[in-house]
Amino acid sequence: ANLREFLDHVRDVPVEVLHHHLYGSALRRRFRVWDHPNDFAQWVAESLEDHVLSEKLAALDPYANEDLERARETISDLVEDHLDEQPFVPFARPGAEFHFSSALSLALPSGRLVDTVEDMRNSIAVVPLSSLYYHFHEARLRGPGDDHDDFSRWLDGQFGDNDVSRALGRLDFYFFSLEDLRKRIVEIFDAARPGDRS
């Protein structure tokens, strides 16, 4: 109900809860204004109306942290420092409390297969956003130290080093909505010269 309780829970919730609120928010908030790319920043902005702290939490890129424990420390430090500067503990209005939760992901085959770079580009342009999330966001969390998306993995495996996978690797994707991410990815495919795309 307030920022102090929030901090206490951030410090002790299971990492699966942090994962849900940091990584999964892109999947759940696909049609909102994309000022706050994680649930924590969104709640602080909307329920506590604290735009200074929400901006700090929004700037946190969990993919840049070594693991979720490091992300937990960063969030805890940000909130604790912010609380120390406040004359009182910010409260949420009744009904706007933060609800810590976790989720289970299920990956189901879509029936869509690609054999060429052009097929991949065309598929990315139309697949459900949940599929894009799975292959671009979740792909980076499957193994320690692996920061590649599934599209780049396939392109590198088929064609070796290439312009498209290098450009995909440079995308600061965490700060895009999934719809914006789709547009950027398609633009990357379209910008590649035909000889570089196959």
Side-chain angles (χ1 to χ4, degrees):
N2 64 63
L3 195 56
R4 173 60 64 189
E5 290 178 353
F6 174 82
L7 175 59
D8 291 342
H9 288 303
V10 164
R11 286 175 168 155
D12 66 12
V13 293
V15 291
E16 295 81 14
V17 173
L18 296 177
H19 181 282
H20 177 69
H21 292 297
L22 290 173
Y23 297 112
S25 57
L27 190 57
R28 291 186 306 283
R29 295 187 294 110
R30 62 182 76 162
F31 300 116
R32 286 178 148 180
V33 176
W34 200 246
D35 291 336
H36 306 101
N38 65 66
D39 294 342
F40 301 144
Q42 188 73 29
W43 178 73
V44 168
E46 290 183 355
S47 298
L48 300 182
E49 298 180 1
D50 187 333
H51 300 291
V52 172
L53 180 58
S54 68
E55 285 182 19
K56 291 176 183 176
L57 291 170
L60 170 71
D61 180 355
Y63 291 92
N65 285 295
E66 296 170 10
D67 58 31
L68 283 166
E69 288 301 338
R70 183 67 190 115
R72 182 197 308 271
E73 290 173 21
T74 302
I75 294 166
S76 298
D77 290 346
L78 282 172
V79 174
E80 186 170 24
D81 290 348
H82 190 75
L83 271 170
D84 288 345
E85 298 169 357
Q86 303 307 306
F88 59 89
V89 175
F91 270 77
R93 64 193 175 283
E97 300 88 354
F98 190 87
H99 295 267
F100 287 90
S101 56
S102 62
L104 205 53
S105 293
L106 296 174
L108 304 172
S110 68
R112 183 179 291 274
L113 302 173
V114 300
D115 294 320
T116 67
V117 177
E118 193 66 29
D119 287 345
M120 178 174 275
R121 179 257 182 234
N122 294 337
S123 292
I124 290 169
V126 297
V127 294
L129 293 176
S130 58
S131 181
L132 184 66
Y133 173 82
Y134 175 77
H135 289 295
F136 211 82
H137 284 250
E138 283 286 330
R140 288 171 164 77
L141 305 173
R142 293 191 196 125
D146 190 358
D147 61 354
H148 289 81
D149 59 272
D150 289 338
F151 308 133
S152 295
R153 279 192 196 100
W154 184 82
L155 289 165
D156 290 344
Q158 296 296 313
F159 311 108
D161 189 38
N162 61 86
D163 290 344
V164 175
S165 63
R166 280 195 305 275
L168 291 176
R170 289 190 298 268
L171 269 179
D172 200 2
F173 66 95
Y174 181 69
F175 298 102
F176 297 145
S177 70
L178 289 173
E179 197 57 65
D180 288 338
L181 176 61
R182 184 204 306 271
K183 290 175 189 169
R184 303 268 180 141
I185 293 173
V186 169
E187 287 170 0
I188 286 171
F189 276 86
D190 289 344
R193 295 189 305 273
D196 295 334
R197 292 168 58 182
S198 57

